[in-house]
């Protein structure tokens, strides 16, 4: 996938907090970020932001005996601040400090995905940056625009990519790995199918129709996934 060259800063005094958030970002949003930087203290974070600005800062509030709120004046006005904390009582102050979002620990993966989907749309805008999937076919690298993918179909250890232009490509990756790679705009609706959210015309508990009138099956797990997005 071609990088959109965004940068993220994670500020948390606990190693587990930094590592778990970095894992979530790498799993769900790896195509968004060129660099993810971590800081374990307020002072370390202040030094980092003095030399570099970030698109987003994931900020813990209680940093040993200091407050994450004290970092806010040092951040660029363009940095989206997402507070990540175990304490709900700071939500009002976070809103006053123009927080983009406020996530409670332990992080809920679904809430995290929704937050990052909003972030992506707000930062990149509609159509501001074209995102690509790169696959290998017969030794050549094929860049595929994500917006042109209608759905993906499992074929054993391979995946077939169906484009809106009725072209098809087969890649030597499982549907699970492809779904993880593609991010929040794609939904696994069945063990054999992952669909582009923008290509959904309608769906029922056991089937889905794309805007090009392709009918796909929906499993019970897939129906739950759809309900989280719509």
């Amino acid at each position: 996938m071609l990088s959109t060259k965004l940068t993220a800063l994670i500020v948390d005094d606990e190693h587990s907090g930094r590592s778990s958030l970095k894992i979530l970002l790498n799993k769900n949003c790896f195509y968004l970020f060129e660099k993810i930087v971590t800081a374990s203290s307020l002072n370390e974070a202040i030094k980092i932001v003095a030399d570099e600005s970030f698109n987003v800062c994931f900020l813990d509030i209680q940093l040993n005996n200091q407050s994450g709120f004290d970092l806010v004046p040092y951040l660029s006005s363009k940095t989206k601040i997402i507070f990540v904390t175990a304490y709900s009582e700071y939500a009002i102050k976070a809103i006053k400090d123009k927080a983009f979002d406020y996530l409670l620990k332990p992080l809920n993966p679904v809430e995290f995905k929704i937050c990052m989907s909003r972030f992506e749309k707000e930062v990149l805008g509609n159509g501001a940056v074209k995102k690509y999937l790169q696959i290998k076919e017969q030794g050549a690298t094929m860049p595929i625009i994500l917006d042109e993918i209608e759905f993906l179909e499992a074929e054993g250890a391979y995946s077939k990519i169906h484009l809106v232009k009725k072209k098809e490509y087969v890649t030597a990756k499982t549907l699970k790995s492809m779904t993880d790679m593609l991010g929040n705009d794609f939904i696994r609706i069945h063990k054999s199918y992952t669909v582009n959210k923008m290509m959904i015309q309608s769906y029922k508990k056991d089937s889905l129709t794309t805007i090009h009138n392709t009918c796909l099956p929906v499993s019970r797990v897939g129906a739950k996934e759809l309900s989280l997005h719509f």
Side-chain angles (χ1 to χ4, degrees), residues 99-116:
F100 179 78
D101 211 335
Y102 191 95
L103 301 176
L104 288 175
K105 296 179 180 179
L107 286 173
N108 181 308
V110 174
E111 290 180 359
F112 179 79
K113 284 184 178 182
I114 293 172
C115 170
M116 294 313 297

Side-chain angles (χ1 to χ4, degrees), residues 156-198:
Y158 293 78
S159 295
K160 181 182 287 186
I161 303 168
H162 297 262
L163 304 187
V164 295
K165 297 176 180 178
K166 300 304 178 184
K167 289 184 179 179
E168 297 176 355
Y169 295 100
V170 175
T171 182
K173 291 182 182 294
T174 65
L175 186 62
K176 181 183 185 305
S177 65
M178 289 295 293
T179 303
D180 291 342
M181 184 185 300
L182 288 167
N184 296 322
D185 289 335
F186 288 77
I187 306 172
R188 181 82 175 264
I189 61 169
H190 187 272
K191 65 179 182 180
S192 298
Y193 295 96
T194 290
V195 67
N196 186 340
K197 275 201 308 189
M198 301 304 294

Side-chain angles (χ1 to χ4, degrees), residues 42-78:
L42 176 63
N43 292 336
E44 183 183 2
I46 289 173
K47 291 178 181 177
I48 289 171
V49 300
D51 297 323
E52 184 176 359
S53 60
F54 294 86
N55 298 100
V56 61
C57 176
F58 296 90
L59 184 56
D60 193 7
I61 291 177
Q62 292 199 349
L63 300 170
N64 292 318
N65 295 320
Q66 296 177 304
S67 170
F69 287 113
D70 292 334
L71 180 65
V72 174
Y74 294 91
L75 294 171
S76 165
S77 59
K78 295 181 180 179

Side-chain angles (χ1 to χ4, degrees), residues 7-216:
T7 57
L9 173 64
I10 300 171
V11 184
D12 195 314
D13 59 347
E14 294 184 355
H15 179 267
S16 60
R18 298 191 301 275
S19 60
S20 62
L21 188 47
K22 194 168 183 179
I23 289 170
L24 277 174
L25 285 172
N26 284 327
K27 179 179 179 181
N28 296 287
C29 315
F30 79 97
Y31 59 91
L32 276 179
F33 297 103
E34 180 182 47
K35 183 165 68 171
I36 300 172
V37 178
T38 63
S40 59
S41 69
L42 176 63
N43 292 336
E44 183 183 2
I46 289 173
K47 291 178 181 177
I48 289 171
V49 300
D51 297 323
E52 184 176 359
S53 60
F54 294 86
N55 298 100
V56 61
C57 176
F58 296 90
L59 184 56
D60 193 7
I61 291 177
Q62 292 199 349
L63 300 170
N64 292 318
N65 295 320
Q66 296 177 304
S67 170
F69 287 113
D70 292 334
L71 180 65
V72 174
Y74 294 91
L75 294 171
S76 165
S77 59
K78 295 181 180 179
T79 301
K80 303 294 184 187
I81 303 172
I82 300 174
F83 286 101
V84 184
T85 177
Y87 304 94
S88 60
E89 61 264 30
Y90 298 109
I92 294 177
K93 179 167 174 52
I95 292 170
K96 289 181 179 179
D97 278 356
K98 300 180 180 179
F100 179 78
D101 211 335
Y102 191 95
L103 301 176
L104 288 175
K105 296 179 180 179
L107 286 173
N108 181 308
V110 174
E111 290 180 359
F112 179 79
K113 284 184 178 182
I114 293 172
C115 170
M116 294 313 297
S117 181
R118 284 201 309 115
F119 168 79
E120 181 177 349
K121 288 175 182 176
E122 185 159 328
V123 172
L124 298 184
N126 293 324
V129 177
K130 286 188 182 297
K131 290 179 290 183
Y132 294 81
L133 174 71
Q134 291 187 162
I135 66 167
K136 295 283 187 180
E137 186 175 71
Q138 297 180 349
T141 299
M142 304 286 296
I144 301 173
I145 299 173
L146 292 195
D147 290 344
E148 294 183 357
I149 298 175
E150 186 175 2
F151 65 95
L152 296 92
E153 181 181 4
E155 290 196 340
Y158 293 78
S159 295
K160 181 182 287 186
I161 303 168
H162 297 262
L163 304 187
V164 295
K165 297 176 180 178
K166 300 304 178 184
K167 289 184 179 179
E168 297 176 355
Y169 295 100
V170 175
T171 182
K173 291 182 182 294
T174 65
L175 186 62
K176 181 183 185 305
S177 65
M178 289 295 293
T179 303
D180 291 342
M181 184 185 300
L182 288 167
N184 296 322
D185 289 335
F186 288 77
I187 306 172
R188 181 82 175 264
I189 61 169
H190 187 272
K191 65 179 182 180
S192 298
Y193 295 96
T194 290
V195 67
N196 186 340
K197 275 201 308 189
M198 301 304 294
M199 297 293 169
I200 297 174
Q201 177 175 261
S202 63
Y203 66 90
K204 297 183 290 188
K205 65 179 182 179
D206 60 355
S207 65
L208 177 150
T209 303
T210 72
I211 59 176
H212 298 287
N213 295 316
T214 302
C215 186
L216 301 173

